[in-house]
Amino acid sequence: MAKHFTAEFKLEAAKLIVDHGYTFVKASEAVNVSHSALTR
């Protein structure tokens, strides 16, 4: 079963990449989700 994330969670994860220069891999590690979940 797929995990469902709140809009706030998605926004915070995106901010790590856009605002703070994290890579997708580092951002996914920081928010404790898989890389593929973050890219979706």
Side-chain angles (χ1 to χ4, degrees), residues 1-5 7-8 10 12-13 15-18 20 22 24-26 29 33-34 36-37 40:
M1 186 168 163
K3 290 183 181 180
H4 295 280
F5 302 105
E8 289 118 3
K10 293 175 185 178
E12 290 303 316
K15 282 182 179 181
L16 289 176
I17 297 165
V18 176
H20 300 287
Y22 280 53
F24 279 104
V25 174
K26 291 293 182 187
E29 290 171 355
V33 297
S34 69
S36 63
R40 284 187 255 135

